[in-house]
Amino acid sequence: MAIFNLSINGKKQQIDTDPDTPLLWVLRDHFNLKGTKYGCGIAQCGACTVHVDGVAMRSCSLPISAISEQKIKTIEGLSETGDHPVQKAWLSHDVPQCGYCQAGQIMSAAALLENNPNPNDGEIDAAMNGNICRCGTYLRIKAAIKTAAKMG
Amino acid sequence: MSIIKTSIARRSFLKSSALTGGGLMLGFSWLASCQTKTEAEILAMPKEWFEINSYLKIGDNGVVTIYTPNPEFGQNVRTSMPMLVAEELDIDWKKVVVEQAPYHPKNFGFQFTGGSRGIMSRWEPLRMAGASARQMLCTAAAETWKVPLEEITTEAGTLFHKPTNQSAGYGEMASAAVGVPVPTEVKLKDIKDFKIIGTSKKNVDAQDIVTGKSMFGMDYQKEGMLIAMIVHPPAFGMTLKSVDDTEVKTMSGIKDIITIKSYPKDYQKGSFDANAFPEILAIVGNSTWQVMKAKKQLKVEWKPITASTETILGFRGDKQTKHIPAGLESTDKHRSQMEILAAKPGKVVRKDGDPTSAFKNAAKIIERTYEAPFLAHNCMEPLNAFADVRGDRAQIAAPIQIPGFVMPTLAASLGIPVENIEMELTRMGGGFGRKAYGHYVIEAALISQKINAPVKLIYTREDDMTNGIYRPTYQATYRAALDSDNNLTALHVKAGGIPESPLFANRFPAGALDNYLAEEWSADSNITIGAFRAPRSNFMAGAEQSFLDEVAEATGKDPIDFRLDLLKRAKENPVGEKNDYDAARYAGVLELVREKADWGKSQSGVHRGVSAYFCHNTYAAHILDMTMEEGKPIVQKVCCAIDCGVVVNPDAAINMAEGAITDGVGNAFFGEMTFKEGVPEKNNFHQYRMIRMGEAPKAIEVHFVENKINPTGMGEPPFPPIFGAVANALYKATGERRYRQPFLGEENVLG
Ligand code: FES
Ligand code: FES
């Protein structure tokens, strides 16, 4: 066990845990931030995507010991009232089916638009290829990303 | 909040209409905590609620809470079912708050998600619940205003007596309505008068989903809750021998290691009690990661199972004998086993005319064999369940498709009465049939009982993918007899699988041919199988529709015309009486898709495949456009026509069709589980290939046949025919027919 100081969604947090604990389980088990999902545990599905200093990362494969000063943002911290352009676009396209993959999809999409405000289809595919949606909502996800890009 | 005792009349109404009991609503307080936020929640919450029947309560300010009875796994019934109630209640949709009903069959009837039967089975009962509440409000208004009941009208949550110019909101009349006897009969609206049904309503849970609210079983949390994981045998055909837990017991955060036996001795299992691993180990600890680490360290020895025979009570009350062979099975062995069985005569399920002579006299015979592998469901939310068993009471919260089927087993395994088990139906992160098999709920409950603490059982992805209940592996051989004028004179299908046959002998093209023969076979296996989105249809549609395409080509006919000619025959002069489809509706979707996709038009480099199928009471036809880029097939567009009767929530139905089509393309291209010596050869997404965004169809267009037929299912029907559309387009694109799924074989997994 060791003490780690973290910045999660703009708040300073402290945690005493095994250094190899993945960020995913720190978020879910210790801070009760259940929006970030477990889907595979091996960086293959994207359900656990969060932003680490603005970069989309798979939290299931990121040991807590690898994080120090970096700012962590989860779906709960993406916007204060759920009105991030990506979230709004998701609502207007009524994207979700079961919804389980969607937080990860939204976090990947938000990071993409942060770096590339006007991605083309190929760039969207490339940025989103790590996020599986078993329900098959890909078309709506893509449409929502384009709408969010227009909203700026 | 006030809870109003209901009258005898209320109960008897609800009973007599087979609607479920009215009684006191259970557990209002905890339900309130999992409320869905809709626009209505922005309105001030009412000071008092008036329970009109078990499906709805009305607040003094006119807000209406509708309890949605069936569990949600992405089909969006949490929106469309309340829409049915709201329509007949005649309420402004903006004033509706949706809450998930707990498992309570007396109040909510058969609560299930499966067989694309949700909307179909709730179509009348839920509208009746809304209509009878409206009628009670009208009666209350008539009595209050002392005017004739017939003169009361309603509009969007307001009651009117136009002759005397009086009006009142539902909220104002709700308390009086509670005392009104429940009407024994209610009139339901004419389809043409619908205001809510047939208009697209946004998913009531979308806001919670996009903001990451806890809603899934996996997210369930309770004070003092421990985390548990299971360790099951590494191979089918193996069971527990012994465990050495000395080391693991000392690991940090680990509380206990226990052995679970899921079923009491001689328990009469039902068909949804399927479980290859009834004897497993569970590790219990403080946090997920600690338990996950301990799981990897646990030293377990396994031993081979012995062959056994079980009698399974089917859900229709029928009993089946199931043989579970010993041994370690492999995909290679399955293939040779299937070849041998397919070469022998099968069990004749249907025979029309004289197929033997027709084949003997044929000028030409086309014979093709289709194969498909086992498939894993791979719901994005792995299996999980929460249980808190204390003494003779249990509280469960689980993502489960058919809670009513797990309840008796749960009671027997725990040794407590069914009435002592409370179950909350959490949102499911996908189900696809997998979460109809509740062994994980039993396991969670047994763990909690043993350690006497609340516990959440979590399957790792690997546990989930290697646990079984797969879509079986199938094979079908089709033969067509053509005369010298290239007319189709006979069709023979022989289908089988491990461990079940996929055949539907009475489906199209049965009924369209004078000479028809259908045979089936199967072989026992110790690999467990279960329902997977459109069971059996999900293979038969692809095989049948690929074959018909090939026969159409041999006869020199356009593939759609060829199918329509057969359907014309089936409509005008059907062969046999048991034909399990309506030829006119079947032809209807083909005609609609032909028109919408502009079938006759050819575009250079675009290869089109057509396919149609009927299953789960709904008709679906697809035209799939494919291009080849660097030797890779790209699905440019799928145009689809569906006849599911009245479409309750059109945009949500389109979303379902898009999902089913994408899922189908993915499974046709990549879906496959294989085995070696009993071991599933894929255990996570680095090995099990799932469709990703770049491979999904670039466009999907969904059209519905407009009619006034009562609604049927949407979750499954668009899925099976897509396999045929992919196969037929691939043939056009590559000049080669594909007979074995997955069509694209091994490819790199992107991550
Ligand atoms: S859970 Fe992290 S990528 Fe799947
Ligand atoms: S919405 Fe179900 S996995 Fe994406």
XYZ file of all heavy atoms in Angstrom, chain A residues 4 8 14 17 27-29 34 38 40 46 63 67-68 72 83 101 110 113 116 129 144 150 152:
183
model
N -1.296 8.011 -2.603
C -1.214 8.738 -3.871
C -2.092 9.977 -3.808
O -3.217 9.919 -3.318
C -1.661 7.846 -5.039
C -0.776 6.644 -5.221
C -1.093 5.440 -4.599
C 0.390 6.726 -5.972
C -0.267 4.334 -4.739
C 1.221 5.617 -6.116
C 0.897 4.414 -5.499
N -8.791 14.651 -9.498
C -9.864 14.024 -10.270
C -11.005 15.009 -10.439
O -11.568 15.494 -9.446
C -10.380 12.745 -9.570
C -9.219 11.774 -9.325
C -11.484 12.088 -10.392
C -9.582 10.557 -8.493
N -6.914 11.981 -2.178
C -5.816 11.167 -1.684
C -6.294 9.735 -1.528
O -7.453 9.509 -1.165
C -5.357 11.694 -0.326
C -3.917 11.311 -0.045
C -3.419 11.915 1.247
O -3.988 11.635 2.300
N -2.372 12.728 1.167
N -3.497 2.878 -1.485
C -3.836 1.629 -2.183
C -2.584 0.967 -2.748
O -1.503 1.554 -2.726
C -4.857 1.905 -3.311
O -5.329 0.663 -3.820
C -4.256 2.695 -4.459
N -11.095 4.725 -9.399
C -12.254 5.581 -9.648
C -13.541 4.921 -9.184
O -14.350 5.519 -8.472
C -12.366 5.906 -11.151
C -11.244 6.740 -11.762
C -11.374 6.771 -13.286
C -11.262 8.163 -11.198
N -13.725 3.677 -9.578
C -15.000 3.008 -9.309
C -15.151 2.594 -7.853
O -16.175 2.865 -7.230
C -15.162 1.783 -10.219
C -15.439 2.129 -11.678
C -15.677 0.886 -12.515
N -16.815 0.108 -12.045
C -18.081 0.326 -12.412
N -18.355 1.284 -13.263
N -19.052 -0.420 -11.923
N -14.131 1.933 -7.319
C -14.259 1.372 -5.968
C -13.997 2.398 -4.865
O -14.670 2.395 -3.852
C -13.277 0.212 -5.773
C -13.742 -1.074 -6.454
O -14.823 -1.053 -7.065
O -13.017 -2.086 -6.364
N -18.808 5.802 -10.862
C -19.205 4.586 -11.572
C -19.463 4.802 -13.068
O -19.839 3.877 -13.770
C -20.464 4.002 -10.909
C -20.234 3.533 -9.474
C -19.555 2.206 -9.495
C -19.411 1.438 -8.213
N -19.695 1.966 -6.952
N -15.978 -0.909 -16.744
C -15.093 -2.046 -16.996
C -15.681 -2.875 -18.133
O -16.842 -3.287 -18.053
C -14.968 -2.899 -15.733
C -14.366 -4.273 -15.985
C -13.020 -4.406 -16.275
C -15.157 -5.415 -15.922
C -12.466 -5.655 -16.512
C -14.606 -6.679 -16.157
C -13.266 -6.793 -16.456
O -12.713 -8.032 -16.689
N -13.144 -4.870 -20.463
C -12.200 -5.934 -20.849
C -10.982 -5.993 -19.938
O -10.398 -7.049 -19.758
C -11.750 -5.738 -22.292
S -10.697 -4.287 -22.531
N -12.309 0.162 -24.671
C -12.544 1.591 -24.518
C -13.615 1.992 -23.518
O -13.838 3.185 -23.301
N -1.792 1.845 -14.189
C -1.645 1.703 -12.734
C -1.582 3.069 -12.056
O -1.034 4.023 -12.623
C -0.329 0.936 -12.589
C 0.359 1.038 -13.903
C -0.675 1.317 -14.938
N 0.603 7.669 -12.225
C -0.017 8.991 -12.261
C 0.498 9.818 -11.092
O 0.571 9.329 -9.966
C -1.552 8.851 -12.155
C -2.072 8.106 -13.378
C -2.229 10.216 -12.040
C -3.494 7.700 -13.290
N 0.898 11.044 -11.416
C 1.295 11.897 -10.286
C 0.535 13.209 -10.340
O -0.532 13.350 -9.769
C 2.806 12.099 -10.274
O 3.246 12.502 -11.567
N -6.907 14.206 -13.986
C -7.784 13.141 -14.479
C -9.196 13.698 -14.626
O -9.710 14.362 -13.719
C -7.817 11.971 -13.470
C -6.401 11.381 -13.326
C -8.818 10.902 -13.884
C -6.207 10.627 -12.042
N -23.800 19.381 -20.197
C -24.058 20.143 -21.415
C -22.811 20.348 -22.280
O -22.733 21.282 -23.059
C -24.699 21.492 -21.064
C -23.784 22.315 -20.171
O -22.733 21.779 -19.730
O -24.117 23.477 -19.894
N -21.359 1.272 -23.104
C -20.110 1.729 -23.728
C -20.047 3.242 -23.838
O -19.006 3.792 -24.205
C -19.977 1.147 -25.128
S -21.109 1.940 -26.318
N -14.761 13.376 -27.066
C -14.443 14.710 -26.535
C -12.954 14.996 -26.681
O -12.551 16.113 -27.046
C -14.876 14.819 -25.071
N -12.162 15.772 -30.392
C -12.563 17.121 -30.821
C -11.700 18.213 -30.179
O -11.522 19.283 -30.745
C -14.048 17.361 -30.522
C -15.023 16.507 -31.345
C -16.464 16.771 -30.935
C -14.845 16.770 -32.847
N -8.732 18.002 -32.529
C -9.050 18.137 -33.945
C -10.520 18.552 -34.044
O -11.397 17.705 -34.107
C -8.796 16.777 -34.632
C -9.116 16.809 -36.110
O -9.586 17.829 -36.631
N -8.882 15.710 -36.782
N -11.748 3.810 -32.981
C -11.609 2.381 -33.242
C -11.370 1.545 -31.982
O -11.646 0.356 -31.957
C -10.491 2.124 -34.246
C -10.993 1.295 -35.409
O -12.110 0.768 -35.375
N -10.189 1.178 -36.431
N -23.172 12.047 -34.238
C -23.167 12.938 -33.073
C -21.825 13.676 -32.979
O -21.785 14.859 -32.610
C -23.446 12.147 -31.791
N -19.736 20.796 -35.066
C -20.386 22.017 -35.550
C -20.747 22.946 -34.405
O -20.690 24.166 -34.534
C -21.653 21.657 -36.336
C -21.332 21.185 -37.739
C -22.587 21.199 -38.615
C -22.412 20.233 -39.761
N -23.195 18.996 -39.590
N -19.085 23.287 -31.803
C -17.826 23.884 -31.370
C -17.582 23.674 -29.934
O -17.923 24.268 -29.010
